[in-house]
Amino acid sequence: MAETFGAGFLVRWLAAVAEDVDREADRLTELDSAIGDADHGANLKRGFAAVTETLAKEPPANPGAVLTTAGRQLISTVGGASGPLYGTLLRRAGKTLGEDGEVTRERLAEALGVGVAAVSQLGGAQVGDKTMLDALVPGVEGLRSSYEAARAAAEEGALATVPLQARKGRASYLGERSVGHQDPGATSSALLFAALADTARAEGAR
């Protein structure tokens, strides 16, 4: 695969995310049942399935449009906090990419970084609050180096939520009882980067 990629690569990435979420839905819901509303896996499974279906019906013309369309679909399909948060991440990233027909990994990292900042602002959370940001922030930083670095950093960030006490979101109501549980949002966020790395590897990118 060339150093730049077009809309097709991101469509395939999001299809891979949908497959991973489908496979891990029960685990995500199990994690969420300990410190949340026990619906994270089911919500994301429905949302990313809808994203895949929409992108297949009307393939967007450029990478930015792929992410904008996906974000809009997640906001309209996914209930709870996950839809607006993931939707904001992808929509803002898509708008940052604009109408460029080809983008680089570094440019994608930059765009996702803008999306992550918007998620932080929307939810009022920071790294260390035991939220999806604990995987998103290191994942984006890793993506500046390589796809595999993004995967490793996001997974490490998700695991690092286990000893934390939640300070934002539904889990924060549990106080100290949230300690010892892996955050479901960080776990699903790590899946985004795992799917991205798998897609890139399948196409010969690093």
Side-chain angles (χ1 to χ4, degrees):
M1 177 180 156
E3 287 299 308
T4 60
F5 54 82
F9 176 78
L10 293 185
V11 170
R12 291 187 289 277
W13 167 41
L14 292 172
V17 172
E19 289 180 10
D20 287 357
V21 167
D22 183 71
R23 187 185 65 246
E24 298 290 331
D26 289 346
R27 176 170 173 253
L28 292 173
T29 292
E30 185 180 338
L31 291 173
D32 197 33
S33 68
I35 58 174
D37 295 325
D39 59 2
H40 190 61
N43 282 345
L44 284 189
K45 179 178 177 178
R46 182 174 66 252
F48 278 101
V51 165
T52 301
E53 185 178 340
T54 299
L55 293 175
K57 278 182 188 172
E58 305 170 27
N62 54 62
V66 172
L67 298 185
T68 304
T69 299
R72 190 165 56 240
Q73 189 65 47
L74 288 173
I75 289 171
S76 65
T77 308
V78 181
S82 299
L85 292 170
Y86 273 112
T88 294
L89 169 69
L90 295 181
R91 277 183 67 186
R92 193 62 63 87
K95 287 181 180 178
T96 301
L97 290 180
E99 297 184 1
D100 293 348
E102 296 277 325
V103 298
T104 62
R105 170 178 49 76
E106 292 86 353
R107 181 85 173 109
L108 178 61
E110 178 189 336
L112 287 173
V114 173
V116 169
V119 168
S120 177
Q121 187 174 27
L122 181 64
Q126 305 292 332
V127 171
D129 286 344
K130 200 183 183 95
T131 70
M132 62 198 294
L133 289 170
D134 288 305
L136 288 177
V137 171
V140 166
E141 194 56 39
L143 188 58
R144 300 182 196 281
S145 300
S146 72
Y147 293 105
E148 286 299 332
R151 180 211 300 267
E155 289 178 353
E156 187 177 325
L159 288 171
T161 63
V162 174
L164 298 177
Q165 179 172 327
R167 292 199 288 264
K168 292 291 179 182
R170 179 75 174 78
S172 64
Y173 302 153
L174 297 176
E176 292 182 359
R177 286 180 295 155
S178 64
V179 174
H181 299 282
Q182 186 165 321
D183 182 68
T187 306
S188 60
S189 292
L191 291 179
L192 291 183
F193 293 100
L196 182 58
D198 287 341
T199 304
R201 186 173 58 195
E203 302 193 18
R206 288 184 293 176

